Amino acid sequence: TRIAYEIFTPMDNFEKIYKQQNKLRVNLYKKMNSSNMTKRDLIESLLILEDNYLMLLDNLNKMSSLVESFKALDPYTESMISKFEMSELVYMVIDSISFPNYVGVEVLCSEPVTVYQDASKMSSVLHHLLENAALHAFNGLDSGLIVVDIFKKENKVHIVIKDNGIGISNDVIENVLKPIYHTEHMSGYGLMISYNLVVQFFKGTIDYVTDKNFGTEFRISIALDGKV
């Protein structure tokens, strides 16, 4: 039902655009046949066409993004194992996200942590968690801070992503890692993608703690070596 709703939203917009375009076409034909079309009529019609074209592109992009998100729910897609330094990957992911101006991001890493894993899937995990914090953790606040803490222990890399935002309310706390779960302050399939990849693909663990006065903290632990 949730997936159907996600797909229906842009599809519903396609139908609205079609109806508006069809109405515009009929009106233009009527004015042309009656020789009543003016330059202003033509300009206004072109402006409406341009707005509809932009709306169409926006909704097509949303559909494309949904498809990619649904594909990412499957953790068993093709893997590319490589060696990388975790903090460098974190910085790359941070650079790819448009954080609000009032949100700061800090990375803590006392020593280089070299990982032999799938960097693409790891970046997907980080991207969804950081983007979710950027979009939903600070609703109604004037400022916020996201901290990414990286360290290694017992042949594992540990990544803690914490914010000082509004926290997760008690009525949704049990559902935040369920697919396609939506509330006013957060959306669920990004978190589900992160959960699936960490647990199913990396064979690691992910959990969280939250407090409405102190924000939310996600804790990830995976093996340093993908062959372990």
Side-chain angles (χ1 to χ4, degrees):
T1 301
R2 291 167 182 163
I3 293 175
Y5 175 80
E6 287 292 312
I7 296 175
F8 175 79
T9 301
M11 291 296 291
D12 185 50
N13 288 332
F14 291 150
E15 184 178 5
K16 291 177 181 177
I17 293 170
Y18 167 76
K19 289 180 178 179
Q20 189 173 24
Q21 295 285 80
N22 194 49
K23 182 179 179 181
L24 181 65
R25 179 183 62 83
V26 171
N27 288 337
L28 284 175
Y29 270 117
K30 286 182 179 179
K31 290 181 179 180
M32 286 176 59
N33 292 332
S34 62
S35 300
N36 289 328
M37 181 179 288
T38 64
K39 183 178 180 180
R40 180 176 179 178
D41 291 332
L42 184 58
I43 292 174
E44 288 179 349
S45 298
L46 289 173
L47 289 174
I48 293 173
L49 285 171
E50 183 178 7
D51 287 342
N52 287 344
Y53 173 72
L54 293 175
M55 286 177 60
L56 183 64
L57 283 180
D58 181 58
N59 283 279
L60 285 171
N61 286 332
K62 288 179 180 177
M63 289 289 288
S64 177
S65 177
L66 282 172
V67 170
E68 291 302 314
S69 295
F70 297 150
K71 286 167 59 179
L73 287 171
D74 177 11
Y76 300 108
T77 53
E78 184 178 353
S79 177
M80 183 73 71
I81 303 296
S82 63
K83 184 180 289 186
F84 59 93
E85 206 281 306
M86 183 59 74
S87 66
E88 293 180 359
L89 183 68
V90 169
Y91 279 116
M92 289 177 61
V93 172
I94 289 172
D95 288 341
S96 72
I97 300 174
S98 297
F99 291 93
N101 294 330
Y102 57 87
V103 175
V105 185
E106 292 184 6
V107 178
L108 305 178
C109 187
S110 59
E111 61 176 331
V113 180
T114 301
V115 180
Y116 191 73
Q117 285 280 9
D118 188 315
S120 176
K121 287 182 171 57
M122 191 69 241
S123 66
S124 180
V125 171
L126 297 169
H127 187 278
H128 287 298
L129 290 174
L130 288 168
E131 185 177 56
N132 201 76
L135 293 174
H136 307 294
F138 308 105
N139 287 340
L141 303 181
D142 296 327
S143 63
L145 177 65
I146 301 171
V147 176
V148 184
D149 190 6
I150 306 164
F151 60 95
K152 60 182 178 180
K153 182 180 180 182
E154 299 176 350
N155 204 36
K156 292 184 178 181
V157 57
H158 300 268
I159 306 164
V160 179
I161 300 174
K162 49 190 173 183
D163 64 69
N164 61 348
I166 60 176
I168 303 172
S169 60
N170 291 332
D171 57 328
V172 301
I173 197 168
E174 298 297 328
N175 299 298
V176 294
L177 294 177
K178 292 182 179 179
I180 324 300
Y181 185 78
H182 286 268
T183 72
E184 181 182 357
H185 300 302
M186 66 193 314
S187 56
Y189 55 82
L191 293 178
M192 185 59 186
I193 290 170
S194 295
Y195 177 85
N196 262 14
L197 288 174
V198 170
V199 175
Q200 302 295 334
F201 180 80
F202 291 112
K203 305 301 180 184
T205 62
I206 177 171
D207 60 7
Y208 62 92
V209 293
T210 186
D211 190 300
K212 66 179 182 180
N213 298 314
F214 299 99
T216 302
E217 177 179 309
F218 281 90
R219 300 173 296 206
I220 300 168
S221 176
I222 65 171
L224 289 168
D225 192 331
K227 295 182 292 185
V228 173

